Amino acid sequence: MTSTRRTTPLEVWTGTFGDAYTQRNAVDDIKIRQRIHMWRRILQPLSSGLPENCLEVGAGVGINLRALRALHTIDIYALEPNANARSILVRDEVVPDARVINGSAECISLADASVDLVFTSGVLVLVEPTRLEAACREMHRVSRKYILTIEYFANEPEEKTYRGETGLLFKRDFGVFWLDLFPTLSVIDYGFFWKPITGLDNLTWWLFAKS
């Protein structure tokens, strides 16, 4: 049965619902290996100019960051609103405590053009459509070189019920959204990770360069 929420999505993800999500997505070797394969493919076109630092917006427990660090020496920042997930990032020494940011995608406490690569993985789908532009503008602001989005895809914007909750999951063509918002972005590469082969969810990704 679909429930009717009286809180904002951010409050949901920072509360017990978000804590349960953190527990379900605990780190294991299989998940990290899957993400290593994913990142190896994504970084291929950047082999001559890999980012020296990055920010993951909505880092969770850091599965992406652990995999990325296994492939490449890189300074890491993580933005994560859920306190339990942030504590795991610090406890497991995925990200130094000073680089773990408590906040939302709409307000990132980093300077303009301060990180080479800013990325999301399964996070923009959680941002309310009315707040998506603000989130993307903040990511664009703090990125020096690259923006990467790895998300669920739909030809037209649509909302999906998530674990009985409405107002928490919104699919669309995020690549088109980025280019409509920032026409000067250039597409470096894009692709699709098919669940039966990769073990990941069915994920579409876009890698952009700032001009």
Side-chain angles (χ1 to χ4, degrees), residues 83-156:
N84 284 342
R86 292 197 306 273
S87 68
I88 292 171
L89 290 171
V90 176
R91 181 199 69 193
D92 293 354
E93 299 182 343
V94 181
V95 187
D97 187 30
R99 294 181 182 172
V100 177
I101 303 167
N102 176 14
S104 71
E106 300 162 72
C107 185
I108 302 173
S109 56
L110 291 174
D112 295 358
S114 55
V115 287
D116 288 343
L117 168 67
V118 179
F119 74 92
T120 64
S121 179
V123 167
L124 291 186
V125 290
L126 309 179
V127 178
E128 292 170 290
T130 56
R131 306 167 84 94
L132 183 60
E133 179 176 339
C136 290
R137 288 194 180 280
E138 272 292 87
M139 291 174 60
H140 185 273
R141 178 185 66 79
V142 301
S143 168
R144 182 184 302 119
K145 294 181 179 180
Y146 308 119
I147 296 170
L148 170 68
T149 293
I150 310 164
E151 304 287 346
Y152 301 133
F153 177 87
N155 282 317
E156 299 294 334

Side-chain angles (χ1 to χ4, degrees), residues 42 117-120 124 146-154 172-179 186-193 203-209:
I42 289 171
L117 168 67
V118 179
F119 74 92
T120 64
L124 291 186
Y146 308 119
I147 296 170
L148 170 68
T149 293
I150 310 164
E151 304 287 346
Y152 301 133
F153 177 87
R172 66 170 63 226
D173 186 334
F174 288 97
V176 165
F177 188 88
W178 275 107
L179 291 177
S186 59
V187 179
I188 298 176
D189 205 352
Y190 64 94
F192 177 70
F193 295 109
L203 298 171
T204 303
W205 60 277
W206 301 264
L207 178 60
F208 301 104

Side-chain angles (χ1 to χ4, degrees), residues 47-114:
S47 58
S48 61
L50 290 171
E52 295 182 3
N53 54 24
C54 72
L55 165 70
E56 181 172 12
V57 175
V61 296
I63 295 175
N64 280 300
L65 296 174
R66 297 168 201 250
L68 184 56
R69 193 175 59 184
L71 287 173
H72 172 46
T73 300
I74 187 168
D75 291 331
I76 289 171
Y77 294 82
L79 185 147
E80 173 54 49
N82 183 273
N84 284 342
R86 292 197 306 273
S87 68
I88 292 171
L89 290 171
V90 176
R91 181 199 69 193
D92 293 354
E93 299 182 343
V94 181
V95 187
D97 187 30
R99 294 181 182 172
V100 177
I101 303 167
N102 176 14
S104 71
E106 300 162 72
C107 185
I108 302 173
S109 56
L110 291 174
D112 295 358
S114 55

